[in-house]
């Protein structure tokens, strides 16, 4: 009976949500060549926006393609130096069984500044060994509007004909379909492996529920286009999508949280404005779920939107959205992860841990590698995930992990991993990024310590006048790589001028090693 019911829902969904064939290119198949799969001892990028855990393997969606580790970061495999990835940013990753999906992202400089740009999707059906590249879903360039049949209704929709702001921020994969979330493109789904994507109807701002048997009069449009007869709805600007099984879907927008329990056919919207115990804010950037002792918790990052009384927080429900509890008030959570009954929130000000369903939180904003003494220069974190008792955190300045179990409490020790060229001997050193802009990020001086573990670092200007003594006979763990941070100031604390600077490193009793960096603001 359950299987028959699911088939009927799939057929009904196909009838109700129909749209013209989209202007997509033919999906392109790629078998990963050996040259495109790179083994390494460190991540490819210092930034990541999402993790995917599959057994003991951690997949990392980062700023330079896709990578994974199956041994807690000792060894890495990178996919990203050739098609289908070409080292683009990965904005989202999701999987179901052997099927994996990622979204590709970039930016384009316009008169309005740098704008996000969707570069398409990639799909694998063999656990990531080979991939199909799919163009960013959009309508044909000569379209302006089109009609979507929804039950007894015809919904007029804006034709999205550009990849600007049409970036896939989140993906959900079920046994029936793949669902993608986009600001411009809204919520879309594909039931044919990405050959076509069709828009999914969500409630407009003025309605809290929709179903095919309703009589409806609204448009599907994320922007106001009176010239086309379209009224905008913030609830059609989609930023997150999450599934629980095949038929239960949670969708976060700029107008609240939407729930469907019939495979995306009918919807109920929850917002800051329409409940007595609402979410904290209508801008919903992440949704995840957790089972604790048989109880389902749905967690969401809920950020203030238009109402001045909204606020940033993490909101959760234990009754399928009938009421919400807001916790971690004031924090912008980028993502949420779990380890059993423990919940972790990656926020702009650090990572937080709660083992009592959000009643109290333990926060970390300073990350220090206890072995190498490296320090993360930025407290912001973007993703968190558990691989067994190892808790991974994607920071703005590297990937980090710590243990959280009966033997070692969360945050007792941190290990920081960074994408950097190896310094193989104490006679090698370099500074990065180069050129270096102090307003954007710190300069890191990379070197390998010697047998004694002492190091001095001095910085000189182009005329070889002393600028900054960074270290003087400081003790560092012997025989390993280190990063020391220079923030671009002199010994008086003043910001240095643009130009070339020379860096002298004296390691143990060896002759000094020199490298240089360009300061450019």
């Amino acid at each position: 009976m359950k299987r028959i019911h699911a088939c009927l829902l799939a057929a009904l969904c196909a009838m109700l949500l129909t749209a013209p064939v989209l202007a997509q290119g033919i999906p392109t198949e790629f078998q990963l060549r050996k040259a495109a799969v790179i083994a390494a001892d460190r991540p490819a990028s210092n930034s990541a926006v999402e993790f995917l855990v599959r057994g003991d393997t951690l997949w990392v969606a980062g700023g330079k393609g896709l990578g994974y580790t199956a041994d807690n970061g000792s060894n890495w495999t990178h996919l990203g130096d050739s098609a289908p990835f070409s080292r683009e940013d990965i904005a989202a990753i999701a999987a179901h069984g052997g099927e994996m999906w990622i979204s590709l992202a970039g930016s384009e400089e316009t008169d309005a500044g740098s704008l996000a740009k969707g570069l398409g999707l990639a799909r694998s059906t063999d656990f990531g060994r080979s991939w199909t590249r799919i163009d960013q879903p959009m309508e044909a360039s000569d379209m302006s509007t089109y009609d979507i049949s929804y039950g007894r209704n015809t919904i007029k929709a804006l034709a999205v004909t550009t990849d600007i702001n049409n970036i896939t921020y989140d993906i959900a994969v079920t046994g029936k379909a793949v669902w993608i979330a986009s600001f411009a493109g809204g919520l879309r789904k594909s039931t044919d492996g990405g050959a076509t994507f069709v828009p999914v109807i969500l409630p407009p701002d003025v309605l809290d529920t929709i179903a095919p048997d309703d009589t409806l009069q609204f448009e599907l449009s994320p922007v106001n286009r009176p010239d086309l007869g379209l009224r905008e709805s913030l609830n059609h600007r989609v930023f997150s999508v999450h599934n629980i099984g095949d038929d239960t879907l949670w969708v976060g927008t700029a107008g609240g949280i939407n729930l469907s329990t019939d495979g995306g056919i009918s919807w109920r919207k929850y917002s800051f404005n329409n409940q007595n115990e609402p979410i904290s804010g209508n801008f919903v950037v992440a949704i995840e779920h957790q089972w604790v002792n048989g109880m389902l918790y749905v967690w969401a990052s809920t950020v203030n939107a238009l109402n001045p009384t909204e606020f940033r927080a993490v909101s959760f429900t234990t009754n399928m959205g009938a009421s919400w509890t807001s916790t971690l008030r004031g924090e912008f959570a980028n993502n949420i992860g779990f380890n059993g009954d423990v919940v972790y929130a990656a926020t702009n000000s650090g990572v937080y841990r709660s083992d009592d369903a959000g009643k109290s939180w333990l926060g970390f904003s300073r990350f220090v590698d206890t072995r190498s003494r490296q320090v993360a220069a930025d407290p912001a974190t973007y993703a968190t995930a558990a691989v067994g008792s190892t808790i991974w955190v994607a920071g703005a300045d590297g990937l980090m992990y710590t243990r959280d179990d009966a033997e070692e409490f969360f945050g007792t020790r941190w290990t920081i991993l960074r994408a950097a060229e190896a310094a193989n001997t104490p006679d090698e050193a370099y500074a990065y990024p180069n050129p270096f802009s102090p307003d954007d990020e710190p300069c890191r001086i990379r070197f390998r310590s010697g047998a004694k573990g002492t190091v001095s670092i001095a910085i000189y200007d182009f005329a070889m006048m002393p600028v900054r003594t960074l270290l003087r006979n400081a003790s560092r763990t012997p025989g390993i790589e280190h990063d020391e941070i220079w923030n671009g100031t002199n010994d008086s604390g003043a910001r240095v001028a643009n130009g070339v600077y020379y860096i002298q490193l004296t390691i143990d009793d060896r002759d000094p090693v020199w490298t240089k960096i360009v300061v450019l603001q």
Side-chain angles (χ1 to χ4, degrees):
M1 179 66 70
K2 187 174 182 181
R3 182 174 181 178
I4 294 173
H5 181 59
C7 291
L8 287 174
L9 283 176
L12 181 60
C13 195
M15 286 190 297
L16 293 175
L17 304 179
T18 58
V21 176
L22 303 186
Q24 288 179 215
I26 298 174
T28 307
E29 301 284 347
F30 293 91
Q31 187 73 34
L32 290 176
R33 301 189 305 274
K34 186 175 181 180
V37 181
I38 303 167
D41 63 352
R42 64 198 71 206
S45 172
N46 287 332
S47 62
V49 296
E50 196 165 357
F51 293 134
L52 174 67
V53 178
R54 314 217 72 193
D56 59 358
T57 299
L58 178 79
W59 289 81
V60 180
K64 292 183 179 179
L66 186 66
Y68 65 85
T69 177
D71 55 10
N72 275 340
S74 296
N75 296 282
W76 292 83
T77 300
H78 304 310
L79 315 179
D81 278 342
S82 62
F85 303 112
S86 303
R87 297 178 75 84
E88 297 106 330
D89 287 345
I90 309 296
I93 182 170
H96 177 82
E99 185 174 5
M100 296 178 63
W101 285 80
I102 62 170
S103 73
L104 307 168
S107 61
E108 183 172 312
E109 294 298 325
T110 70
D111 293 340
S114 181
L115 298 177
K117 180 178 181 179
L119 299 180
L121 304 158
R123 177 195 186 218
S124 173
T125 57
D126 55 9
F127 297 92
R129 288 185 287 272
S130 61
W131 292 82
T132 301
R133 182 72 177 258
I134 299 164
D135 290 342
Q136 187 66 29
M138 65 182 76
E139 280 72 59
S141 59
D142 59 350
M143 295 175 63
S144 56
T145 64
Y146 60 97
D147 292 334
I148 302 176
S149 296
Y150 180 72
R152 65 176 67 179
N153 305 278
T154 299
I155 306 297
K156 187 178 182 180
L158 175 69
V160 178
T161 61
T162 176
D163 51 12
I164 298 298
N165 284 331
N166 185 12
I167 175 175
T168 300
Y169 288 109
D170 205 2
I171 305 172
V173 188
T174 73
K176 300 176 181 179
V178 58
W179 306 76
I180 61 173
S182 169
F183 168 88
L187 180 65
R188 300 189 179 216
K189 75 165 190 174
S190 174
T191 57
D192 54 12
T196 58
F197 278 85
V198 295
V200 178
I201 304 294
L202 292 175
D205 292 349
V206 295
L207 295 177
D208 294 333
T209 63
I210 60 169
D213 291 337
D214 297 340
T215 299
L216 302 169
Q217 290 185 338
F218 67 87
E219 299 83 46
L220 184 67
S221 179
V223 294
N224 202 36
R225 289 294 305 272
D227 56 319
L228 299 176
L230 300 174
R231 295 165 295 177
E232 72 173 359
S233 282
L234 298 180
N235 200 49
H236 295 158
R237 301 177 181 180
V238 184
F239 295 96
S240 52
V241 57
H242 181 74
N243 69 290
I244 304 175
D246 283 347
D247 295 322
T248 299
L249 291 159
W250 295 83
V251 175
T253 72
I257 295 177
N258 301 263
L259 170 63
S260 173
T261 57
D262 58 7
I265 299 171
S266 57
W267 295 89
R268 170 74 167 91
K269 181 177 66 184
Y270 303 107
S271 74
F272 179 80
N273 312 303
N274 67 4
Q275 290 182 279
N276 292 327
E277 298 175 78
I279 56 178
S280 73
N282 284 338
F283 179 30
V284 183
V285 299
I287 305 175
E288 302 289 344
H289 81 276
Q290 173 194 36
W291 288 98
V292 179
N293 297 324
M295 178 177 287
L296 174 63
Y297 286 74
V298 176
W299 297 80
S301 171
T302 47
V303 181
N304 51 302
L306 298 181
N307 192 315
T309 59
E310 297 177 35
F311 57 94
R312 298 178 176 183
V314 171
S315 300
F316 69 89
T317 179
T318 58
N319 53 19
M320 296 296 286
S323 63
W324 297 82
T325 300
S326 294
T327 181
L328 208 58
R329 183 175 181 131
E331 295 294 338
F332 191 122
N334 296 296
N335 222 316
I336 303 161
F338 311 100
N339 184 20
D341 59 355
V342 180
V343 58
Y344 307 90
T347 79
N348 285 349
S349 61
V351 63
Y352 290 83
R353 174 192 191 272
S354 176
D355 57 12
D356 56 7
K359 295 182 180 67
S360 61
W361 294 84
L362 173 69
F364 283 86
S365 59
R366 179 172 168 79
F367 306 95
V368 181
D369 189 314
T370 51
R371 181 168 179 263
S372 68
R373 300 187 187 178
Q374 295 186 40
V375 180
D378 192 322
T381 59
Y382 303 121
T384 180
V387 182
S389 60
T390 300
I391 311 303
W392 284 84
V393 177
D397 190 31
L399 299 182
M400 305 168 285
Y401 66 84
T402 184
R403 286 182 59 183
D404 192 6
D405 54 25
E407 297 181 7
E408 191 168 305
F409 188 69
F410 180 76
T412 302
R413 291 187 302 165
W414 289 97
T415 297
I416 300 176
L417 303 176
R418 290 201 179 88
E421 295 295 326
N424 295 309
T425 74
D427 297 319
E428 301 175 17
Y430 66 93
Y432 70 99
N434 197 356
F436 152 55
S437 174
D439 287 334
D440 294 336
E441 58 183 314
C443 165
R444 294 189 175 277
I445 302 166
R446 186 82 171 178
F447 65 94
R448 181 176 291 273
S449 54
K452 294 182 179 179
T454 60
V455 59
S456 299
I457 300 179
I459 299 172
Y460 299 84
D461 64 16
F462 189 73
M464 293 305 295
M465 299 296 294
V467 172
R468 177 79 180 271
T469 300
L470 204 61
L471 298 177
R472 181 179 287 116
N473 292 324
S475 177
R476 293 293 181 265
T477 303
I480 67 171
E481 290 178 281
H482 299 269
D483 280 338
E484 296 296 334
I485 293 177
W486 179 42
N487 62 2
T489 63
N490 60 23
D491 282 327
S492 299
R495 182 69 57 83
V496 301
N498 288 352
V500 176
Y501 292 82
Y502 296 96
I503 303 171
Q504 180 195 60
L505 295 90
T506 305
I507 297 172
D508 293 344
D509 301 322
R510 295 170 175 268
D511 291 337
V513 176
W514 291 86
T515 187
K516 69 179 179 179
I517 192 166
V518 176
V519 174
L520 184 62
Q521 302 183 65

